[in-house]
Amino acid sequence: MTQPTPNPTRPFGPGMPPASAAKGRKGKGVAKPKAAPTPQTRERRPMTTARVLALWRLVVVLSCLAVAVVGPLVLNNNRASLERVNAASQQVLLLQSVRGELLAAEASGTQALLLSADGATPDDQFVGHLISATERFTQAATVAQDDADRMTDLAASITRYTADLSRAMTSGSTDQVTTASQYLQGTLLGQLDELITDNLGWLEVSTADQRWLSALVAVSIVLMLIASVVVARRTRRVLNLGLVVAIGISVAMFVLVTQLVTTSAQSVGAVQTSGVTGATSVAQAYSAVTEAKAAEGRVLLGITPTQQGQAAYSSAVDTAGEMLAMLPAAQGAGMDTQLEQMIATHDELMAAPAEQLPELVAAAQQPYDALVEWLAQQSIQIGADLDQQLTDHAATVQNAIGFVVAGMVAAALAGGIGLSQPLRRYR
């Protein structure tokens, strides 16, 4: 008997399971499709010994050459800094000397007029002080080119004061002496003090400290030491002769550079603390002593009222005493005793009758002359010592520049050759 053809539209036929069940059975044996495989990351291969050696050879050579290029530039800047500090300190000392010489010229002028008024023969010591002031000002103008405008104005003021004082001494007029003194106190000394203060301020902040260059040299040494360790591990050889030589040369350059830049910083510090301080104390003592003598002469000539002149004299000798106390050599030379004698003879001079003035004026001049002569010598000596110290060290730095260049180039060659030998084997 023939079976009827199943109707596809029927949900199921006799003896047939439901479509859902059939589907379930059918899908049960079918494997799910696999996801597309993700591309695997390539594993990094370790650097070959040849590549490592080539890389460290480049690092060692470049570090040494960097020091060979940067080192001379820094050392040259160090030398220039020393020269600038020296020029500024010399200008300060010269300008302070000019100030003292101008005051000394006024003091000598008033003393000469006193002797002339009493019938004695005056000297022309004031001319020597004016000439000395002019010469030292010319030196100061030559040393510092940056203050050209102010130095020109100052030169004109010095010329005017020189003419005023010389005219007063020729005529013997106390009115003209007053005019010259007022111009000195009111204008000229103010210009000088401003310029001195500006230079002292610059000296306080100036520096020649390039000690960071030592750190740069030390970096190259550290890199070479690391290269030595890497090479020893890669080549199984403890020492690489080229690297050993390069390290030795670099260490020598490190010691040289460190000594140079440290000494430079110490030299500038010594100038700022002891050098200029001592020179300033000498210059201020010189100015104070000469100012006291000028005040004494103005009172005796009747240019300044006694009370006002005595106040100026007392202030000046107090300043002189303070400055001399800051100079250890002053006590050894007996300058404190000379100042006491100067004050004592001044008191006698102020209390003496007119007929005793010529004798007492000459007596009062002796301790003053001793003080002025000693202080002038000290000023010259301090200036010469500072100049010698800074000039010599600047020359040493200049001469060392060539050694640093040659040394670091040699270190670069030694390191490069030392790493090239094992590199050829592993290539």
Side-chain angles (χ1 to χ4, degrees):
M1 187 173 181
T2 306
Q3 295 292 333
T5 304
N7 188 354
T9 60
R10 294 177 58 191
F12 55 87
M16 295 177 64
S20 59
K23 287 181 180 179
R25 285 196 301 269
K26 183 178 180 180
K28 195 171 185 180
V30 179
K32 294 183 179 180
K34 295 182 179 180
T38 58
Q40 295 181 354
T41 304
R42 291 183 178 181
E43 295 183 0
R44 292 185 178 180
R45 294 181 179 179
M47 294 179 64
T48 64
T49 299
R51 190 174 180 183
V52 171
L53 294 177
L55 178 61
W56 276 106
R57 181 179 65 177
L58 180 64
V59 170
V60 168
V61 171
L62 288 180
S63 65
C64 291
L65 292 179
V67 176
V69 173
V70 177
L73 296 176
V74 176
L75 290 177
N76 188 61
N77 180 263
N78 185 275
R79 175 198 56 77
S81 297
L82 289 170
E83 291 178 349
R84 287 194 298 269
V85 169
N86 189 21
S89 61
Q90 293 301 317
Q91 188 185 26
V92 167
L93 300 183
L94 288 168
L95 290 175
Q96 289 175 333
S97 179
V98 170
R99 190 183 192 280
E101 292 296 336
L102 292 174
L103 287 167
E106 182 185 17
S108 297
T110 55
Q111 297 302 309
L113 289 179
L114 280 173
L115 294 174
S116 178
D118 292 328
T121 302
D123 57 26
D124 57 353
Q125 192 174 2
F126 77 97
V127 176
H129 289 298
L130 290 176
I131 293 174
S132 179
T134 303
E135 290 175 348
R136 295 184 185 184
F137 174 78
T138 303
Q139 294 175 11
T142 303
V143 167
Q145 303 293 334
D146 297 337
D147 296 321
D149 294 337
R150 288 197 292 178
M151 296 298 275
T152 300
D153 295 338
L154 194 54
S157 298
I158 292 175
T159 301
R160 174 178 169 178
Y161 173 71
T162 300
D164 288 347
L165 184 60
S166 299
R167 190 163 43 248
M169 295 303 300
T170 301
S171 64
S173 170
T174 56
D175 291 337
Q176 290 182 351
V177 172
T178 301
T179 300
S181 178
Q182 289 175 346
Y183 184 75
L184 174 66
Q185 300 289 337
T187 302
L188 182 50
L189 293 184
Q191 291 176 317
L192 273 168
D193 290 341
E194 181 181 356
L195 195 56
I196 291 170
T197 301
D198 290 347
N199 279 279
L200 284 173
W202 185 88
L203 273 176
E204 290 177 358
V205 299
S206 62
T207 179
D209 191 353
Q210 279 90 19
R211 279 178 280 193
W212 59 268
L213 179 59
S214 299
L216 179 61
V217 182
V219 168
S220 68
I221 296 174
V222 171
L223 290 175
M224 282 186 279
L225 289 172
I226 295 174
S228 299
V229 174
V230 172
V231 171
R233 289 180 176 178
R234 289 279 180 168
T235 63
R236 299 296 188 270
R237 292 189 177 184
V238 177
L239 293 178
N240 181 286
L241 183 59
L243 284 177
V244 171
V245 173
I247 291 173
I249 296 174
S250 299
V251 169
M253 294 302 103
F254 173 79
V255 173
L256 174 63
V257 167
T258 301
Q259 183 177 8
L260 286 174
V261 295
T262 302
T263 306
S264 296
Q266 291 173 347
S267 296
V268 173
V271 169
Q272 293 169 331
T273 54
S274 60
V276 173
T277 300
T280 300
S281 299
V282 169
Q284 289 179 348
Y286 189 94
S287 296
V289 169
T290 52
E291 169 59 24
K293 200 64 176 176
E296 177 185 272
R298 288 194 295 268
V299 170
L300 294 174
L301 288 173
I303 297 173
T304 303
T306 302
Q307 185 175 0
Q308 180 182 347
Q310 283 293 92
Y313 183 91
S314 298
S315 176
V317 294
D318 288 344
T319 301
E322 293 173 1
M323 294 301 104
L324 287 175
M326 297 175 64
L327 301 171
Q331 284 73 32
M335 290 302 109
D336 50 348
T337 303
Q338 295 292 343
L339 181 62
E340 293 174 358
Q341 291 180 359
M342 177 179 162
I343 296 172
T345 54
H346 168 79
D347 294 339
E348 294 177 4
L349 196 58
M350 292 297 104
E355 59 272 11
Q356 294 181 359
L357 284 181
E359 180 182 352
L360 291 176
V361 165
Q365 193 72 15
Q366 294 176 1
Y368 167 79
D369 288 341
L371 281 165
V372 168
E373 181 179 357
W374 184 84
L375 289 168
Q377 290 175 350
Q378 288 295 304
S379 179
I380 294 173
Q381 185 63 48
I382 291 174
D385 290 344
L386 289 179
D387 179 68
Q388 188 71 37
Q389 175 185 354
L390 293 176
T391 300
D392 288 349
H393 190 64
T396 301
V397 173
Q398 179 65 40
N399 294 333
I401 291 176
F403 286 103
V404 173
V405 174
M408 295 312 298
V409 169
L413 289 174
I417 294 172
L419 288 171
S420 295
Q421 291 176 346
L423 179 59
R424 284 195 294 268
R425 291 199 302 270
Y426 284 93
R427 277 179 175 171

